[in-house]
Amino acid sequence: MSKPDIAPPPLRNDCFALPAGVSWTPVDEALALLREKLTVVTGIENVPLMQAAGRILASDVLAKRSNPPQANTAVDGYGFAGPVPDGSCVLPLVDGRAAAGIPFRGEVPLGHAVRVLTGAALPQGVDTVILEEDVTLERGHVAFRGPLKQGANTRNAGEDVVEGALALPAGRWLTSADLALLSAVGVAEVSVRKTLRVGVLSTGDELVEPGDSAGPGQIYDANRPMLLSLVERMGFDPVDLGRAADDREALKLHLVQAAERVDVILTSGGASAGDEDHVSALLREAGAMQEWRIALKPGRPLALGVWGQTPVFGLPGNPVAAMVCTLIFARPALSLMAGAGWQEPQGFDMPAAFEKRKKPGRREYLRARIRDGKAEVFHSEGSGRISGLSWAEGLVEIEDGARDIKQGDLVRFIPYGSFGL
Ligand code: AMP
Ligand code: MG
């Protein structure tokens, strides 16, 4: 049989060059659109403070009490009425003492001193404290050297937080330190957002469950365990939606059932425009498809749509791209839907321990980590290299324009911790 006379397409020197007529959405534009379109979807409940870490405040919390509630001593020592001028000072001691939780009853007369221990409320007649290390005690008197400013070694009532002031604002993702603050200002229960339920679905005929036997052409589902744990560590409620075959009806059934159980769905795989890319096809069919060709590496394609009322993030199948898209796009969007507002990851400018020449036109995220005060990147940019994700401790973000990075040039490093991980 003779071969048909078909001309192959002309060679291109950049396999990522834009197909004619396709426009790429810059990362910032895609983010701005998400930020504008999405709204809070979670309900509200009250929880005891002890169970509130990692939850999102649904309303402003005001201090019920000042911190500290009353003026107290910051050190162990002797209290009296200040100030003390330059030179030596000898004061008679009154009987008794003031300790944390056990106040001194009565008034310390002018020109007298009283024993005070750290955290004790200042007795009446005391506004200044001398450290015990700086005194000599003899025959019922305390002797030390001035000068000492009035108020030395004491803390004022409300110097940290004043009763009635805003302790923490609505939208705050409560940290361990926040629990200390709220306890200190007398708050025992908080109104928080119900946790956003995020469904995770893998798609692809080639996928098998880790632990099962894998035949030729089959691969283990790497995205579901990763995405479920990312969702959980980012502070949301992960819901395992399992795997769907590359079959439109099967996938449709999965989405219909999922929409009942979750607030938002993350799928991976099947998001391009290929024959087996049923996620994008279904969303397109539902008439709610925003198919984005985002100028991002690694990461395209990202399909965004709404299934019924439920937003769907159609992440790329490639695990490296799936994780980058989750951190860069899904996390701020999910945070907003969860009630915490749009969350920008905090990055740091660090000297590069690598060299790289980058063409203009798209933003790039490299798997990176900090060693010896420099940003190292994984030895391969191959987007199938899952080991690089695991090696990395964050991402180096290289802006959309061209760059010629030399050793020691500053690059933006975003630690995984900045994404809440
Ligand atoms: P797709 O976006 O479906 O075209 O998939 C792109 C690449 O990612 C293919 O090589 C898939 O086999 C791979 N892939 C898709 N889903 C997963 C998954 N859950 N775990 C590991 N690799 C995947
Ligand atoms: Mg696929």
Side-chain angles (χ1 to χ4, degrees), residues 202-203 206-207 219-223 268-270 317-319:
S202 288
T203 74
E206 73 278 34
L207 302 178
I219 60 169
Y220 292 114
D221 181 355
N223 286 343
S268 67
N318 197 296

Side-chain angles (χ1 to χ4, degrees), residues 36-309:
E36 182 195 315
K37 298 285 180 208
L38 293 170
T39 52
V40 182
V41 299
T42 47
I44 292 173
E45 63 185 348
N46 285 344
V47 296
L49 187 67
M50 288 287 193
Q51 286 153 36
R55 304 297 300 271
I56 297 164
L57 284 181
S59 47
D60 290 350
V61 179
L62 306 184
K64 290 190 169 169
R65 195 186 198 210
S66 293
N67 182 51
Q70 68 269 310
N72 65 87
T73 170
V75 299
D76 289 346
Y78 297 86
F80 45 83
V84 175
D86 201 6
S88 83
C89 177
V90 180
L91 300 175
L93 277 171
V94 299
D95 283 340
R97 59 170 208 173
I102 309 166
F104 176 84
R105 312 237 171 250
E107 189 172 344
V108 176
L110 192 65
H112 288 63
V114 64
R115 173 70 168 146
V116 294
L117 298 175
T118 306
L122 295 184
Q124 268 188 52
V126 172
D127 60 15
T128 305
V129 173
I130 180 85
L131 257 93
E132 66 182 14
E133 290 85 341
D134 294 342
V135 308
T136 310
L137 284 179
E138 231 177 281
R139 282 173 280 141
H141 285 70
V142 59
F144 56 92
R145 242 165 234 297
L148 209 59
K149 282 193 203 133
Q150 190 165 35
N153 299 314
T154 68
R155 310 169 180 135
N156 295 327
E159 72 173 26
D160 183 26
V161 184
V162 177
E163 183 183 325
L166 179 68
L168 289 170
R172 173 77 183 182
W173 224 316
L174 292 173
T175 65
S176 311
D178 293 343
L179 300 198
L181 172 59
L182 294 180
S183 294
V185 298
V187 174
E189 193 182 72
V190 283
S191 164
V192 294
R193 291 282 167 188
K194 289 188 175 159
T195 307
L196 187 78
R197 294 163 305 169
V198 182
V200 173
L201 178 71
S202 288
T203 74
D205 285 340
E206 73 278 34
L207 302 178
V208 292
E209 210 61 14
D212 286 358
S213 65
Q218 293 188 310
I219 60 169
Y220 292 114
D221 181 355
N223 286 343
R224 220 162 87 250
M226 172 178 75
L227 294 173
L228 284 166
S229 95
L230 281 175
V231 163
E232 182 171 30
R233 297 193 62 193
M234 291 189 299
F236 312 111
D237 185 9
V239 179
D240 188 355
L241 301 176
R243 275 182 290 118
D246 284 323
D247 171 277
R248 199 149 315 174
E249 284 311 308
L251 183 61
K252 194 169 182 171
L253 201 64
H254 265 95
L255 291 183
V256 169
Q257 289 171 350
E260 304 277 305
R261 299 170 57 198
V262 300
D263 301 307
V264 54
I265 300 171
L266 304 185
T267 66
S268 67
S272 343
D275 298 348
E276 296 296 348
D277 291 323
H278 300 291
V279 173
S280 45
L282 263 182
L283 292 176
R284 204 178 297 120
E285 206 175 279
M289 172 72 178
Q290 273 284 345
E291 197 179 355
W292 279 348
R293 299 185 173 278
I294 296 173
L296 171 74
K297 180 189 171 188
R300 70 214 168 101
L302 179 67
L304 252 202
V306 181
W307 185 261
Q309 307 274 313

Side-chain angles (χ1 to χ4, degrees), residues 323 366-369 378 387-395 413 416:
M323 177 151 163
L366 308 177
R367 284 150 280 177
R369 63 185 195 183
F378 192 56
S387 64
L389 272 184
S390 161
W391 171 93
E393 294 165 6
L395 301 172
F413 175 74
Y416 284 156

